[in-house]
Amino acid sequence: MDEKINVLISKEEVENRIQEIADEISAKYAGKVVHLVGVLKGSVFFMCELAKRLSIPVTMDFMSVSSYGNGTKSSGIVKLIKDLDETIEGRDVILVEDIMDSGRTLSYLVNLMKERKPASFMIVTLLDKPERRVVEINPDMCCFKVPDRFVVGYGLDCAQKYRNLPYIGVIEE
Ligand code: IMP
Ligand code: MG
């Protein structure tokens, strides 16, 4: 069965907005090295596009957590699957996420990271679904706010499919 995907945010819109966010980050962190921490696997596409557009030195690391099963509903339980390779103590850390939904994943990760004493810490997300929040947490920078729809593309999946779409889309019902 083929699903039809409707474009919500085009490739061009996404890329222009990532450039804007990258310029803001480069200005804010001038003279520093930013350490991007990506949450696998969803944030990978956004993180690459963001990193390419930063004009300051960048280092990167990844961690992996699971909060979703294989479908579109969160299990509500966040589990650490892969920790960082390097220490973040004393570093200027930017946590890069694909989407903030209930906020459970980010709240879990923020607690974990802050214990490790980074010099500075902020959250940058590609998408935000503020209507769905159950934990009080907000991104420091966000590319787009989206309505309460299940979105795919630009790293976001539905049962591991559609991550490679170069735009943000919604599956037609
Ligand atoms: P939270 O813990 O509920 O904020 O969920 C965050 C994670 O759920 C994201 O990093 C995504 O992996 C996944 N997620 C939430 N909403 C969507 C969506 O609309 N499409 C695809 N994945 C989503
Ligand atoms: Mg994710």
Side-chain angles (χ1 to χ4, degrees):
M1 193 186 71
D2 265 355
E3 291 157 316
K4 188 174 182 301
I5 313 286
N6 294 322
V7 178
L8 184 66
I9 309 168
S10 72
K11 177 176 187 284
E12 197 186 15
E13 281 176 280
V14 178
E15 289 173 0
N16 289 342
R17 182 67 184 133
I18 295 176
Q19 182 67 57
E20 283 178 10
I21 290 277
D23 291 343
E24 271 182 51
I25 294 174
S26 299
K28 185 175 157 98
Y29 290 84
K32 294 182 176 166
V33 178
V34 283
H35 189 56
L36 302 181
V37 169
V39 186
L40 293 171
K41 313 179 195 66
S43 73
V44 168
F45 290 73
F46 173 43
M47 187 148 138
C48 290
E49 294 304 319
L50 181 67
K52 284 193 276 181
R53 290 169 175 82
L54 292 172
S55 57
I56 47 173
V58 173
T59 56
M60 295 187 208
D61 204 348
F62 292 94
M63 65 199 318
S64 181
V65 293
S66 77
S67 62
Y68 271 60
N70 228 11
T72 59
K73 285 253 159 59
S74 172
S75 65
I77 301 157
V78 183
K79 207 168 83 185
L80 185 65
I81 308 273
K82 182 213 169 288
D83 204 342
L84 296 172
D85 292 337
E86 291 168 38
T87 179
I88 56 166
E89 192 175 337
R91 300 172 90 159
D92 293 295
V93 174
I94 301 181
L95 188 61
V96 181
E97 246 297 38
D98 52 358
I99 188 164
M100 278 186 86
D101 188 31
S102 71
R104 287 194 188 98
T105 309
L106 260 291
S107 124
Y108 171 84
L109 288 177
V110 166
N111 290 336
L112 194 78
M113 302 260 186
K114 287 200 170 158
E115 280 170 18
R116 299 180 182 184
K117 304 188 175 64
S120 70
F121 181 83
M122 81 164 178
I123 301 170
V124 176
T125 186
L126 177 63
L127 304 176
D128 188 10
K129 274 194 222 169
E131 287 168 51
R132 300 250 313 160
R133 208 73 94 248
V134 299
V135 182
E136 219 177 295
I137 181 166
N138 284 304
D140 298 284
M141 286 186 191
C142 159
C143 293
F144 301 96
K145 285 191 175 150
V146 290
D148 183 8
R149 305 276 304 274
F150 195 80
V151 292
V152 294
Y154 234 92
L156 291 141
D157 73 306
C158 180
Q160 299 303 324
K161 273 189 345 198
Y162 305 122
R163 290 193 196 276
N164 60 319
L165 296 179
Y167 55 85
I168 313 282
V170 285
I171 302 170
E172 196 167 279
E173 281 157 34

